[in-house]
Short mmCIF file of all heavy atoms in Angstrom, two decimals:
data_model
loop_
_atom_site.label_atom_id
_atom_site.label_comp_id
_atom_site.label_asym_id
_atom_site.label_seq_id
_atom_site.Cartn_x
_atom_site.Cartn_y
_atom_site.Cartn_z
N MET A 1 -6.57 -44.61 -95.79
CA MET A 1 -6.17 -44.53 -97.28
C MET A 1 -5.19 -45.53 -97.51
O MET A 1 -4.11 -45.77 -96.85
CB MET A 1 -5.60 -43.16 -97.49
CG MET A 1 -5.20 -42.95 -98.94
SD MET A 1 -4.59 -41.31 -99.21
CE MET A 1 -5.63 -40.80 -100.53
N LYS A 2 -5.52 -46.35 -98.54
CA LYS A 2 -4.52 -47.50 -98.95
C LYS A 2 -3.45 -46.90 -99.84
O LYS A 2 -3.64 -46.03 -100.60
CB LYS A 2 -5.26 -48.60 -99.73
CG LYS A 2 -6.22 -49.44 -98.83
CD LYS A 2 -6.75 -50.55 -99.67
CE LYS A 2 -7.51 -51.50 -98.84
NZ LYS A 2 -8.07 -52.59 -99.65
N LYS A 3 -2.25 -47.49 -99.62
CA LYS A 3 -1.15 -47.00 -100.49
C LYS A 3 -1.20 -47.89 -101.72
O LYS A 3 -1.63 -49.00 -101.69
CB LYS A 3 0.18 -47.06 -99.83
CG LYS A 3 0.67 -48.43 -99.40
CD LYS A 3 1.96 -48.29 -98.67
CE LYS A 3 2.60 -49.68 -98.47
NZ LYS A 3 3.89 -49.65 -97.92
N ALA A 4 -0.64 -47.34 -102.77
CA ALA A 4 -0.64 -48.09 -104.11
C ALA A 4 0.23 -49.23 -104.05
O ALA A 4 1.28 -49.16 -103.41
CB ALA A 4 -0.25 -47.09 -105.27
N LYS A 5 -0.17 -50.33 -104.66
CA LYS A 5 0.64 -51.55 -104.61
C LYS A 5 1.60 -51.50 -105.82
O LYS A 5 1.30 -51.03 -106.94
CB LYS A 5 -0.17 -52.79 -104.73
CG LYS A 5 -1.01 -53.08 -103.52
CD LYS A 5 -1.68 -54.37 -103.64
CE LYS A 5 -2.48 -54.74 -102.41
NZ LYS A 5 -3.13 -56.07 -102.47
N SER A 6 2.81 -52.02 -105.58
CA SER A 6 3.78 -52.04 -106.66
C SER A 6 3.42 -53.30 -107.51
O SER A 6 2.59 -54.06 -107.22
CB SER A 6 5.24 -52.24 -106.11
OG SER A 6 5.40 -53.56 -105.58
N LYS A 7 4.18 -53.42 -108.65
CA LYS A 7 3.91 -54.51 -109.59
C LYS A 7 3.99 -55.81 -108.95
O LYS A 7 3.22 -56.75 -109.09
CB LYS A 7 4.80 -54.36 -110.79
CG LYS A 7 4.33 -55.05 -112.05
CD LYS A 7 5.19 -54.73 -113.21
CE LYS A 7 4.47 -54.91 -114.53
NZ LYS A 7 5.31 -54.59 -115.60
N ASN A 8 5.07 -56.06 -108.13
CA ASN A 8 5.41 -57.39 -107.49
C ASN A 8 4.33 -57.63 -106.46
O ASN A 8 3.94 -58.79 -106.30
CB ASN A 8 6.81 -57.32 -106.91
CG ASN A 8 7.84 -57.37 -107.91
OD1 ASN A 8 7.66 -57.73 -109.05
ND2 ASN A 8 9.04 -57.01 -107.54
N GLU A 9 3.86 -56.74 -105.67
CA GLU A 9 2.94 -56.85 -104.61
C GLU A 9 1.58 -57.34 -105.24
O GLU A 9 0.92 -58.15 -104.66
CB GLU A 9 2.76 -55.70 -103.76
CG GLU A 9 3.94 -55.34 -102.91
CD GLU A 9 3.76 -54.04 -102.11
OE1 GLU A 9 2.97 -53.26 -102.46
OE2 GLU A 9 4.44 -53.94 -101.09
N SER A 10 1.24 -56.78 -106.34
CA SER A 10 -0.10 -57.10 -106.90
C SER A 10 -0.14 -58.56 -107.45
O SER A 10 -1.19 -59.16 -107.55
CB SER A 10 -0.50 -56.13 -107.97
OG SER A 10 0.40 -56.20 -109.08
N GLN A 11 0.94 -59.15 -107.77
CA GLN A 11 0.96 -60.51 -108.37
C GLN A 11 0.87 -61.53 -107.25
O GLN A 11 0.43 -62.63 -107.52
CB GLN A 11 2.30 -60.73 -109.13
CG GLN A 11 2.33 -59.91 -110.35
CD GLN A 11 3.73 -60.04 -111.09
OE1 GLN A 11 4.58 -60.63 -110.61
NE2 GLN A 11 3.78 -59.49 -112.24
N GLN A 12 1.32 -61.20 -106.03
CA GLN A 12 1.24 -62.26 -104.94
C GLN A 12 -0.06 -62.00 -104.11
O GLN A 12 -0.49 -60.96 -103.90
CB GLN A 12 2.50 -62.10 -104.03
CG GLN A 12 3.77 -62.36 -104.77
CD GLN A 12 4.93 -62.19 -103.79
OE1 GLN A 12 4.82 -61.87 -102.68
NE2 GLN A 12 6.14 -62.62 -104.35
N PRO A 13 -0.60 -63.13 -103.61
CA PRO A 13 -1.78 -62.99 -102.78
C PRO A 13 -1.44 -62.25 -101.48
O PRO A 13 -0.41 -62.42 -100.92
CB PRO A 13 -2.23 -64.46 -102.49
CG PRO A 13 -0.97 -65.33 -102.77
CD PRO A 13 -0.20 -64.48 -103.76
N GLU A 14 -2.42 -61.37 -101.06
CA GLU A 14 -2.13 -60.70 -99.86
C GLU A 14 -2.29 -61.58 -98.67
O GLU A 14 -3.23 -62.30 -98.49
CB GLU A 14 -3.12 -59.55 -99.76
CG GLU A 14 -2.75 -58.44 -98.87
CD GLU A 14 -3.54 -57.21 -98.97
OE1 GLU A 14 -3.90 -56.80 -100.09
OE2 GLU A 14 -3.94 -56.65 -97.98
N ASN A 15 -1.33 -61.54 -97.70
CA ASN A 15 -1.36 -62.34 -96.52
C ASN A 15 -0.93 -61.49 -95.27
O ASN A 15 0.17 -60.92 -95.42
CB ASN A 15 -0.43 -63.51 -96.66
CG ASN A 15 -0.59 -64.50 -95.57
OD1 ASN A 15 -0.86 -64.19 -94.44
ND2 ASN A 15 -0.34 -65.72 -95.90
N LYS A 16 -1.80 -61.28 -94.30
CA LYS A 16 -1.43 -60.45 -93.22
C LYS A 16 -0.41 -60.95 -92.41
O LYS A 16 0.16 -60.23 -91.62
CB LYS A 16 -2.75 -60.05 -92.47
CG LYS A 16 -3.31 -61.38 -91.67
CD LYS A 16 -4.49 -60.90 -90.94
CE LYS A 16 -5.04 -62.15 -90.12
NZ LYS A 16 -6.17 -61.70 -89.36
N TYR A 17 -0.10 -62.24 -92.46
CA TYR A 17 0.99 -62.91 -91.57
C TYR A 17 2.32 -62.77 -92.23
O TYR A 17 3.35 -62.75 -91.50
CB TYR A 17 0.60 -64.27 -91.24
CG TYR A 17 -0.71 -64.40 -90.53
CD1 TYR A 17 -1.83 -64.94 -91.21
CD2 TYR A 17 -0.84 -63.99 -89.32
CE1 TYR A 17 -3.08 -65.05 -90.57
CE2 TYR A 17 -2.08 -64.04 -88.53
CZ TYR A 17 -3.15 -64.58 -89.29
OH TYR A 17 -4.38 -64.64 -88.63
N ILE A 18 2.46 -62.77 -93.48
CA ILE A 18 3.74 -62.65 -94.21
C ILE A 18 3.92 -61.27 -94.80
O ILE A 18 3.24 -60.98 -95.78
CB ILE A 18 3.90 -63.72 -95.29
CG1 ILE A 18 3.70 -65.16 -94.59
CG2 ILE A 18 5.24 -63.68 -95.91
CD1 ILE A 18 3.57 -66.26 -95.59
N PRO A 19 4.84 -60.52 -94.24
CA PRO A 19 5.04 -59.15 -94.74
C PRO A 19 5.64 -59.15 -96.15
O PRO A 19 6.34 -60.12 -96.53
CB PRO A 19 5.93 -58.48 -93.75
CG PRO A 19 6.68 -59.59 -93.14
CD PRO A 19 5.74 -60.83 -93.13
N SER A 20 5.37 -58.13 -96.98
CA SER A 20 6.04 -58.02 -98.24
C SER A 20 7.37 -57.29 -98.13
O SER A 20 7.45 -56.13 -98.60
CB SER A 20 5.05 -57.36 -99.23
OG SER A 20 4.78 -56.05 -98.72
N ILE A 21 8.35 -58.02 -97.54
CA ILE A 21 9.66 -57.42 -97.42
C ILE A 21 10.44 -57.87 -98.61
O ILE A 21 10.57 -59.06 -98.87
CB ILE A 21 10.38 -57.97 -96.13
CG1 ILE A 21 9.50 -57.56 -94.85
CG2 ILE A 21 11.78 -57.49 -96.03
CD1 ILE A 21 9.96 -58.33 -93.65
N PRO A 22 11.06 -56.86 -99.31
CA PRO A 22 11.82 -57.25 -100.53
C PRO A 22 13.08 -58.00 -100.07
O PRO A 22 13.84 -57.43 -99.24
CB PRO A 22 12.11 -55.84 -101.20
CG PRO A 22 12.02 -54.83 -100.16
CD PRO A 22 10.95 -55.43 -99.16
N LEU A 23 13.32 -59.08 -100.63
CA LEU A 23 14.51 -59.79 -100.35
C LEU A 23 15.39 -60.01 -101.64
O LEU A 23 14.86 -60.23 -102.67
CB LEU A 23 14.25 -61.19 -99.75
CG LEU A 23 13.60 -61.21 -98.41
CD1 LEU A 23 13.17 -62.65 -98.11
CD2 LEU A 23 14.44 -60.60 -97.32
N LYS A 24 16.76 -60.02 -101.46
CA LYS A 24 17.54 -60.38 -102.63
C LYS A 24 17.55 -61.91 -102.73
O LYS A 24 17.87 -62.59 -101.79
CB LYS A 24 19.00 -59.86 -102.37
CG LYS A 24 19.94 -60.19 -103.50
CD LYS A 24 21.30 -59.56 -103.25
CE LYS A 24 22.24 -59.96 -104.39
NZ LYS A 24 23.55 -59.49 -104.06
N LYS A 25 17.09 -62.43 -103.82
CA LYS A 25 16.88 -63.84 -103.98
C LYS A 25 18.09 -64.46 -104.64
O LYS A 25 18.68 -63.81 -105.56
CB LYS A 25 15.58 -64.15 -104.69
CG LYS A 25 14.31 -63.77 -103.95
CD LYS A 25 13.18 -64.32 -104.54
CE LYS A 25 11.95 -64.06 -103.64
NZ LYS A 25 10.77 -64.73 -104.07
N ILE A 26 18.40 -65.65 -104.26
CA ILE A 26 19.45 -66.45 -104.84
C ILE A 26 18.91 -66.99 -106.17
O ILE A 26 17.81 -67.59 -106.22
CB ILE A 26 19.82 -67.61 -103.94
CG1 ILE A 26 20.37 -67.05 -102.61
CG2 ILE A 26 20.92 -68.45 -104.58
CD1 ILE A 26 20.68 -68.06 -101.51
N PRO A 27 19.67 -66.93 -107.23
CA PRO A 27 19.19 -67.55 -108.56
C PRO A 27 18.93 -69.00 -108.28
O PRO A 27 19.65 -69.75 -107.59
CB PRO A 27 20.43 -67.29 -109.55
CG PRO A 27 21.16 -66.19 -108.85
CD PRO A 27 20.93 -66.28 -107.39
N SER A 28 17.95 -69.61 -109.06
CA SER A 28 17.54 -70.95 -108.85
C SER A 28 18.71 -71.94 -109.19
O SER A 28 18.84 -73.00 -108.49
CB SER A 28 16.29 -71.28 -109.67
OG SER A 28 16.56 -71.02 -111.07
N GLU A 29 19.58 -71.52 -110.17
CA GLU A 29 20.69 -72.43 -110.49
C GLU A 29 21.68 -72.55 -109.28
O GLU A 29 22.16 -73.60 -109.01
CB GLU A 29 21.45 -71.89 -111.75
CG GLU A 29 20.61 -71.83 -113.02
CD GLU A 29 19.75 -70.58 -113.03
OE1 GLU A 29 20.07 -69.61 -112.47
OE2 GLU A 29 18.75 -70.65 -113.84
N LYS A 30 21.90 -71.37 -108.67
CA LYS A 30 22.86 -71.30 -107.54
C LYS A 30 22.26 -72.08 -106.30
O LYS A 30 22.94 -72.85 -105.66
CB LYS A 30 23.07 -69.87 -107.14
CG LYS A 30 24.10 -69.70 -105.94
CD LYS A 30 25.47 -70.06 -106.34
CE LYS A 30 26.47 -69.74 -105.24
NZ LYS A 30 27.77 -70.25 -105.46
N ALA A 31 20.93 -71.93 -106.11
CA ALA A 31 20.22 -72.63 -105.01
C ALA A 31 20.34 -74.16 -105.27
O ALA A 31 20.63 -74.91 -104.29
CB ALA A 31 18.79 -72.17 -104.89
N LEU A 32 20.20 -74.65 -106.50
CA LEU A 32 20.23 -76.04 -106.84
C LEU A 32 21.58 -76.55 -106.59
O LEU A 32 21.83 -77.65 -106.00
CB LEU A 32 19.75 -76.25 -108.28
CG LEU A 32 19.77 -77.65 -108.77
CD1 LEU A 32 18.76 -78.53 -107.99
CD2 LEU A 32 19.42 -77.67 -110.28
N GLN A 33 22.65 -75.73 -107.01
CA GLN A 33 24.02 -76.17 -106.84
C GLN A 33 24.26 -76.33 -105.31
O GLN A 33 24.99 -77.29 -104.88
CB GLN A 33 24.91 -75.11 -107.43
CG GLN A 33 26.37 -75.38 -107.28
CD GLN A 33 27.23 -74.17 -107.89
OE1 GLN A 33 26.74 -73.09 -108.00
NE2 GLN A 33 28.51 -74.46 -108.16
N ILE A 34 23.86 -75.33 -104.45
CA ILE A 34 24.11 -75.38 -102.95
C ILE A 34 23.44 -76.60 -102.44
O ILE A 34 24.11 -77.30 -101.60
CB ILE A 34 23.64 -74.03 -102.36
CG1 ILE A 34 24.43 -72.89 -102.78
CG2 ILE A 34 23.60 -74.21 -100.90
CD1 ILE A 34 23.91 -71.53 -102.42
N LEU A 35 22.18 -76.85 -102.83
CA LEU A 35 21.53 -77.98 -102.21
C LEU A 35 22.15 -79.28 -102.63
O LEU A 35 22.31 -80.21 -101.77
CB LEU A 35 20.04 -78.00 -102.63
CG LEU A 35 19.17 -76.86 -102.02
CD1 LEU A 35 17.92 -76.70 -102.77
CD2 LEU A 35 18.95 -77.25 -100.55
N ARG A 36 22.56 -79.45 -103.88
CA ARG A 36 23.23 -80.71 -104.28
C ARG A 36 24.65 -80.89 -103.66
O ARG A 36 25.02 -81.93 -103.24
CB ARG A 36 23.42 -80.69 -105.76
CG ARG A 36 22.06 -80.94 -106.45
CD ARG A 36 22.19 -81.12 -107.96
NE ARG A 36 20.89 -81.53 -108.55
CZ ARG A 36 20.65 -81.43 -109.83
NH1 ARG A 36 21.58 -80.96 -110.66
NH2 ARG A 36 19.50 -81.73 -110.23
N LYS A 37 25.29 -79.78 -103.41
CA LYS A 37 26.63 -79.81 -102.75
C LYS A 37 26.42 -80.21 -101.20
O LYS A 37 27.25 -80.95 -100.73
CB LYS A 37 27.28 -78.44 -102.80
CG LYS A 37 28.71 -78.50 -102.22
CD LYS A 37 29.37 -77.12 -102.41
CE LYS A 37 30.72 -77.15 -101.83
NZ LYS A 37 31.46 -75.86 -102.04
N ALA A 38 25.28 -79.94 -100.73
CA ALA A 38 24.99 -80.27 -99.33
C ALA A 38 24.51 -81.72 -99.20
O ALA A 38 24.25 -82.22 -98.13
CB ALA A 38 23.98 -79.34 -98.71
N GLY A 39 24.33 -82.39 -100.38
CA GLY A 39 23.94 -83.76 -100.37
C GLY A 39 22.48 -84.16 -100.61
O GLY A 39 22.01 -85.15 -100.38
N HIS A 40 21.75 -83.10 -101.07
CA HIS A 40 20.34 -83.21 -101.27
C HIS A 40 20.08 -83.49 -102.80
O HIS A 40 20.54 -82.77 -103.59
CB HIS A 40 19.51 -81.97 -100.82
CG HIS A 40 19.76 -81.70 -99.39
ND1 HIS A 40 19.06 -82.46 -98.41
CD2 HIS A 40 20.53 -80.76 -98.77
CE1 HIS A 40 19.49 -81.85 -97.26
NE2 HIS A 40 20.31 -80.90 -97.42
N ASP A 41 19.47 -84.55 -103.07
CA ASP A 41 19.18 -85.00 -104.39
C ASP A 41 17.79 -84.45 -104.81
O ASP A 41 16.81 -85.13 -104.60
CB ASP A 41 19.18 -86.56 -104.56
CG ASP A 41 18.97 -86.99 -106.02
OD1 ASP A 41 19.27 -86.18 -106.95
OD2 ASP A 41 18.44 -88.15 -106.21
N VAL A 42 17.82 -83.22 -105.42
CA VAL A 42 16.56 -82.55 -105.72
C VAL A 42 16.75 -82.02 -107.14
O VAL A 42 17.80 -81.80 -107.76
CB VAL A 42 16.29 -81.27 -104.76
CG1 VAL A 42 16.04 -81.73 -103.41
CG2 VAL A 42 17.47 -80.22 -104.81
N ASN A 43 15.52 -81.87 -107.77
CA ASN A 43 15.50 -81.24 -109.24
C ASN A 43 15.27 -79.73 -109.04
O ASN A 43 15.11 -79.22 -107.89
CB ASN A 43 14.45 -81.97 -110.03
CG ASN A 43 13.08 -81.79 -109.56
OD1 ASN A 43 12.72 -80.78 -108.95
ND2 ASN A 43 12.28 -82.76 -109.79
N GLU A 44 15.26 -78.99 -110.18
CA GLU A 44 15.12 -77.54 -110.17
C GLU A 44 13.82 -77.10 -109.55
O GLU A 44 13.77 -76.14 -108.79
CB GLU A 44 15.27 -77.03 -111.55
CG GLU A 44 15.40 -75.51 -111.57
CD GLU A 44 15.83 -75.00 -112.93
OE1 GLU A 44 16.29 -75.73 -113.82
OE2 GLU A 44 15.61 -73.79 -113.13
N GLU A 45 12.70 -77.79 -109.83
CA GLU A 45 11.40 -77.37 -109.30
C GLU A 45 11.39 -77.55 -107.79
O GLU A 45 10.89 -76.64 -107.08
CB GLU A 45 10.34 -78.28 -109.96
CG GLU A 45 8.98 -77.97 -109.51
CD GLU A 45 7.86 -78.82 -110.12
OE1 GLU A 45 8.14 -79.32 -111.25
OE2 GLU A 45 6.77 -79.01 -109.48
N GLN A 46 11.93 -78.64 -107.32
CA GLN A 46 11.99 -78.85 -105.84
C GLN A 46 12.84 -77.83 -105.12
O GLN A 46 12.49 -77.32 -104.08
CB GLN A 46 12.49 -80.28 -105.59
CG GLN A 46 11.59 -81.38 -105.91
CD GLN A 46 12.19 -82.70 -105.89
OE1 GLN A 46 13.41 -82.92 -106.14
NE2 GLN A 46 11.45 -83.74 -105.48
N SER A 47 13.95 -77.50 -105.79
CA SER A 47 14.78 -76.47 -105.16
C SER A 47 14.10 -75.13 -105.07
O SER A 47 14.32 -74.37 -104.18
CB SER A 47 16.19 -76.35 -105.94
OG SER A 47 16.02 -75.71 -107.20
N GLU A 48 13.36 -74.76 -106.16
CA GLU A 48 12.60 -73.50 -106.11
C GLU A 48 11.59 -73.53 -105.04
O GLU A 48 11.32 -72.49 -104.33
CB GLU A 48 11.99 -73.28 -107.45
CG GLU A 48 12.87 -72.90 -108.56
CD GLU A 48 12.26 -72.84 -109.95
OE1 GLU A 48 11.01 -72.82 -110.05
OE2 GLU A 48 13.10 -72.65 -110.90
N GLU A 49 10.89 -74.67 -104.80
CA GLU A 49 9.92 -74.73 -103.70
C GLU A 49 10.58 -74.64 -102.36
O GLU A 49 10.12 -73.98 -101.41
CB GLU A 49 9.15 -76.08 -103.80
CG GLU A 49 8.19 -76.22 -104.93
CD GLU A 49 7.50 -77.57 -105.00
OE1 GLU A 49 7.38 -78.24 -103.99
OE2 GLU A 49 7.12 -77.87 -106.11
N ILE A 50 11.80 -75.26 -102.21
CA ILE A 50 12.51 -75.17 -100.93
C ILE A 50 12.97 -73.74 -100.69
O ILE A 50 12.76 -73.21 -99.61
CB ILE A 50 13.77 -76.13 -101.00
CG1 ILE A 50 13.34 -77.51 -101.01
CG2 ILE A 50 14.73 -75.76 -99.88
CD1 ILE A 50 14.49 -78.52 -101.39
N MET A 51 13.40 -73.02 -101.68
CA MET A 51 13.79 -71.62 -101.51
C MET A 51 12.58 -70.72 -101.22
O MET A 51 12.75 -69.85 -100.37
CB MET A 51 14.51 -71.09 -102.77
CG MET A 51 15.86 -71.88 -103.01
SD MET A 51 16.97 -71.88 -101.59
CE MET A 51 17.33 -70.15 -101.42
N GLU A 52 11.44 -70.94 -101.85
CA GLU A 52 10.30 -70.13 -101.51
C GLU A 52 9.96 -70.33 -100.00
O GLU A 52 9.54 -69.45 -99.30
CB GLU A 52 9.12 -70.51 -102.39
CG GLU A 52 9.22 -69.91 -103.74
CD GLU A 52 9.44 -68.37 -103.76
OE1 GLU A 52 8.71 -67.69 -103.02
OE2 GLU A 52 10.33 -67.90 -104.50
N PHE A 53 9.98 -71.57 -99.52
CA PHE A 53 9.70 -71.87 -98.16
C PHE A 53 10.70 -71.17 -97.24
O PHE A 53 10.25 -70.57 -96.22
CB PHE A 53 9.72 -73.39 -97.94
CG PHE A 53 9.66 -73.76 -96.49
CD1 PHE A 53 8.39 -73.68 -95.80
CD2 PHE A 53 10.76 -74.19 -95.72
CE1 PHE A 53 8.31 -74.05 -94.37
CE2 PHE A 53 10.65 -74.47 -94.34
CZ PHE A 53 9.44 -74.45 -93.77
N LEU A 54 11.94 -71.17 -97.61
CA LEU A 54 13.00 -70.55 -96.74
C LEU A 54 12.80 -69.02 -96.76
O LEU A 54 12.90 -68.35 -95.74
CB LEU A 54 14.36 -70.86 -97.27
CG LEU A 54 14.76 -72.39 -97.05
CD1 LEU A 54 16.20 -72.59 -97.73
CD2 LEU A 54 14.80 -72.66 -95.64
N TYR A 55 12.45 -68.40 -97.89
CA TYR A 55 12.08 -66.97 -98.00
C TYR A 55 11.00 -66.64 -97.08
O TYR A 55 10.93 -65.60 -96.39
CB TYR A 55 11.85 -66.51 -99.39
CG TYR A 55 13.10 -66.61 -100.32
CD1 TYR A 55 12.91 -67.18 -101.53
CD2 TYR A 55 14.26 -66.01 -99.87
CE1 TYR A 55 14.09 -67.28 -102.39
CE2 TYR A 55 15.39 -66.11 -100.75
CZ TYR A 55 15.28 -66.67 -101.97
OH TYR A 55 16.38 -66.74 -102.80
N THR A 56 9.92 -67.54 -97.06
CA THR A 56 8.78 -67.28 -96.14
C THR A 56 9.21 -67.31 -94.71
O THR A 56 8.82 -66.43 -93.86
CB THR A 56 7.67 -68.35 -96.44
OG1 THR A 56 7.27 -68.26 -97.71
CG2 THR A 56 6.49 -68.14 -95.43
N ILE A 57 10.05 -68.21 -94.32
CA ILE A 57 10.49 -68.34 -92.97
C ILE A 57 11.43 -67.06 -92.62
O ILE A 57 11.25 -66.52 -91.49
CB ILE A 57 11.37 -69.56 -92.76
CG1 ILE A 57 10.58 -70.87 -92.99
CG2 ILE A 57 12.07 -69.68 -91.41
CD1 ILE A 57 9.44 -71.00 -91.98
N VAL A 58 12.18 -66.57 -93.55
CA VAL A 58 13.05 -65.44 -93.28
C VAL A 58 12.09 -64.15 -93.08
O VAL A 58 12.31 -63.42 -92.17
CB VAL A 58 13.96 -65.15 -94.50
CG1 VAL A 58 14.58 -63.77 -94.42
CG2 VAL A 58 15.01 -66.25 -94.50
N LYS A 59 11.07 -64.03 -94.00
CA LYS A 59 10.16 -62.89 -93.82
C LYS A 59 9.42 -62.91 -92.41
O LYS A 59 9.23 -61.89 -91.86
CB LYS A 59 9.13 -62.87 -94.97
CG LYS A 59 9.78 -62.50 -96.29
CD LYS A 59 8.70 -62.51 -97.42
CE LYS A 59 9.33 -62.18 -98.71
NZ LYS A 59 8.29 -62.12 -99.75
N LEU A 60 8.97 -64.07 -92.07
CA LEU A 60 8.31 -64.19 -90.74
C LEU A 60 9.21 -63.86 -89.63
O LEU A 60 8.86 -63.17 -88.71
CB LEU A 60 7.69 -65.53 -90.59
CG LEU A 60 6.53 -65.94 -91.47
CD1 LEU A 60 6.12 -67.38 -91.35
CD2 LEU A 60 5.30 -65.11 -91.12
N THR A 61 10.51 -64.34 -89.70
CA THR A 61 11.47 -64.00 -88.68
C THR A 61 11.76 -62.54 -88.59
O THR A 61 11.80 -61.95 -87.47
CB THR A 61 12.76 -64.81 -88.93
OG1 THR A 61 12.42 -66.28 -89.02
CG2 THR A 61 13.75 -64.59 -87.86
N LEU A 62 11.91 -61.95 -89.77
CA LEU A 62 12.17 -60.46 -89.81
C LEU A 62 11.01 -59.66 -89.21
O LEU A 62 11.24 -58.69 -88.50
CB LEU A 62 12.42 -60.01 -91.25
CG LEU A 62 13.78 -60.51 -91.83
CD1 LEU A 62 13.88 -60.13 -93.27
CD2 LEU A 62 14.98 -59.82 -91.08
N LYS A 63 9.81 -60.15 -89.55
CA LYS A 63 8.61 -59.45 -89.03
C LYS A 63 8.57 -59.61 -87.51
O LYS A 63 8.33 -58.58 -86.81
CB LYS A 63 7.33 -60.10 -89.62
CG LYS A 63 6.13 -59.45 -89.04
CD LYS A 63 4.88 -60.16 -89.53
CE LYS A 63 3.65 -59.55 -88.87
NZ LYS A 63 2.43 -60.26 -89.12
N GLU A 64 8.86 -60.73 -86.97
CA GLU A 64 8.95 -60.98 -85.53
C GLU A 64 9.89 -60.08 -84.82
O GLU A 64 9.52 -59.52 -83.81
CB GLU A 64 9.22 -62.51 -85.28
CG GLU A 64 9.22 -62.89 -83.76
CD GLU A 64 7.83 -62.95 -83.24
OE1 GLU A 64 6.89 -63.11 -83.94
OE2 GLU A 64 7.76 -62.74 -82.02
N PHE A 65 11.07 -59.90 -85.37
CA PHE A 65 12.04 -59.13 -84.65
C PHE A 65 12.00 -57.65 -84.97
O PHE A 65 12.52 -56.87 -84.16
CB PHE A 65 13.47 -59.73 -84.97
CG PHE A 65 13.72 -60.90 -84.29
CD1 PHE A 65 13.57 -62.21 -84.94
CD2 PHE A 65 14.06 -61.02 -82.91
CE1 PHE A 65 13.82 -63.44 -84.32
CE2 PHE A 65 14.28 -62.24 -82.26
CZ PHE A 65 14.12 -63.35 -82.93
N PHE A 66 11.52 -57.19 -86.15
CA PHE A 66 11.63 -55.87 -86.52
C PHE A 66 10.27 -55.09 -86.66
O PHE A 66 10.34 -53.94 -87.11
CB PHE A 66 12.44 -55.72 -87.78
CG PHE A 66 13.86 -56.18 -87.63
CD1 PHE A 66 14.33 -57.36 -88.23
CD2 PHE A 66 14.75 -55.41 -86.92
CE1 PHE A 66 15.56 -57.80 -88.08
CE2 PHE A 66 16.07 -55.86 -86.70
CZ PHE A 66 16.50 -57.07 -87.29
N THR A 67 9.21 -55.65 -86.32
CA THR A 67 7.95 -54.93 -86.33
C THR A 67 7.32 -54.83 -84.95
O THR A 67 7.64 -55.68 -84.09
CB THR A 67 6.93 -55.48 -87.34
OG1 THR A 67 6.62 -56.77 -86.97
CG2 THR A 67 7.44 -55.54 -88.75
N SER A 68 6.47 -53.82 -84.77
CA SER A 68 5.85 -53.76 -83.42
C SER A 68 4.39 -54.12 -83.43
O SER A 68 3.66 -53.68 -82.58
CB SER A 68 5.98 -52.30 -82.98
OG SER A 68 5.38 -51.42 -83.89
N ASP A 69 3.95 -54.94 -84.37
CA ASP A 69 2.57 -55.41 -84.42
C ASP A 69 2.13 -56.09 -83.16
O ASP A 69 2.64 -57.03 -82.69
CB ASP A 69 2.38 -56.37 -85.65
CG ASP A 69 2.58 -55.59 -86.92
OD1 ASP A 69 3.41 -54.71 -86.95
OD2 ASP A 69 1.87 -55.97 -87.95
#
């Protein structure tokens, strides 16, 4: 029996490799500020892409250490 998907889960494509772990996300303005302070010359769109990549890495790492698949 499948469990019902929440609103957020139904918007993202289902991927068996990346678990749908809810993460507290950094606002895009704050991410942009952090990246620029670290010396990276990026625009807002690039910073959002970087953060999505980092969230994916975090989810994969959490899955690796905290699931028994």
